[in-house]
Amino acid sequence: MQTPRLKILSVSIPVPDGQILAGTLIEPAQPNGVSVQINAATGVARRYYESFAAFLAGRGFTVLAFDYRGIGGSPQSPGAPLPRMLDWGRRDIPAAADFLSRHAPGHRRAMVCHSFGGQMLGLMPQAGEIDAVLAIASQHGYWRNWSRRHQLRLLLSWYVAFPAVVGLIDRIPGWWLGGQPLPGAIARDWRRWCCSPHYLVDDDGVPLRPYNHAVRARMRMISFADDHDFGPKKGVDRLMGYYPNAAIERLHVAPRDWGLQRIGHFGFFKRDMPQQCWAAQADWLLQAAAPATATASAGAGGAQNLKAG
């Protein structure tokens, strides 16, 4: 992935509770004044996003990809608490944002969020400082947001299979989800959320929305018509309500709209994604983060619904 035009660094990101996160920082030859933080999906290591990160850096963005605690290159640090999924949102994502802000002071701030990564913005104390968000297949994960055909499978997973497996081996194997193994405490958080109609809740089932109203970024939320297992359209639509003061542009894309046979939940970030598809989103990120438009605000109910962009 290394090219003469890009500077690619392995970095360590400190979290105030003692955890250290592994990150990859990619610096462009000619910075465009916008820094991009990539918030990963559940159980997906940062290396999965590095091709897209390098593409963005080639367009002038300073880009940080990182592993949440308990995932990839971020095992539990000595003395740090056991990894929780909730801590990915309220500790790890904010720590990565602070790291990138220190590294690139004065830059406009953008985020590329995949699935879970787009659900956590309202847990960040810096939520009001984000200028632009590109959310790829980020959804409200309550199991009834899926089609009836998928609800039976999810009912069995969340109420039978997950409790049995986590109770037996205190983790979810990586092959189950197609990513990294999930430690038991993380898996239990995820199950509790997906079984709640409020989705993101604390240990007592109380909804967590501490900074959601502070998010005033321009957001582009994309779902894919063939993403049936992880990011159904209804789930992505429901997540829009989490950010009532953001200026949301909503795209639902069929693979044929982009000249593809399939995209699914993970296809957008694969290195064989046509670069014109990546380029369109990079152009949008740069324009959305520009000072003249960054303060635009509109309710989720006024979002635009488009097929492609």
Side-chain angles (χ1 to χ4, degrees), residues 135 138 219-223 236 239-240 248-251:
S138 291
M219 296 183 67
R220 174 175 279 188
M221 300 183 67
I222 303 179
S223 58
V236 178
L239 186 66
M240 292 167 62
I248 300 177
E249 178 185 356
R250 179 73 173 87
L251 280 68

Side-chain angles (χ1 to χ4, degrees), residues 3-174:
T3 72
R5 299 184 61 191
L6 303 179
K7 186 176 181 181
I8 303 176
L9 304 170
S10 295
V11 297
S12 297
I13 302 169
V15 186
D17 67 352
Q19 177 69 45
I20 302 295
L21 308 178
T24 301
L25 180 70
I26 308 183
E27 299 177 335
Q30 297 181 327
N32 63 13
V34 178
S35 295
V36 176
Q37 174 177 326
I38 299 180
N39 297 334
T42 300
V44 180
R46 73 188 190 280
R47 63 177 179 269
Y48 190 78
Y49 303 99
E50 288 180 355
S51 293
F52 182 64
F55 177 85
L56 290 179
R59 304 280 296 238
F61 297 92
T62 300
V63 186
L64 176 67
F66 67 101
D67 290 331
Y68 302 128
R69 64 184 65 201
I71 300 297
S74 301
Q76 181 187 359
S77 297
L82 289 175
R84 293 279 305 269
M85 198 173 191
L86 185 57
D87 289 329
W88 292 357
R90 65 184 178 185
R91 300 181 189 274
D92 297 353
I93 290 175
D98 285 343
F99 177 92
L100 189 55
S101 181
R102 290 192 300 269
H103 180 81
H107 278 204
R108 306 295 293 181
R109 304 176 68 170
M111 290 189 172
V112 172
C113 304
H114 185 204
S115 195
F116 167 89
Q119 302 163 3
M120 299 291 108
L121 304 181
L123 294 181
M124 294 178 56
Q126 318 95 314
E129 301 171 13
I130 308 169
D131 297 304
V133 177
L134 175 65
I136 303 296
S138 291
Q139 74 290 71
H140 184 293
Y142 180 46
W143 66 277
R144 289 189 181 274
N145 290 330
W146 272 251
S147 67
R148 290 187 179 273
R149 183 168 64 90
H150 288 81
Q151 284 183 18
L152 177 59
R153 174 180 60 82
L154 291 171
L155 184 67
L156 293 173
S157 292
W158 294 127
Y159 288 94
V160 180
F162 259 63
V165 172
V166 175
L168 183 64
I169 63 175
D170 199 35
R171 68 179 185 278
I172 293 296

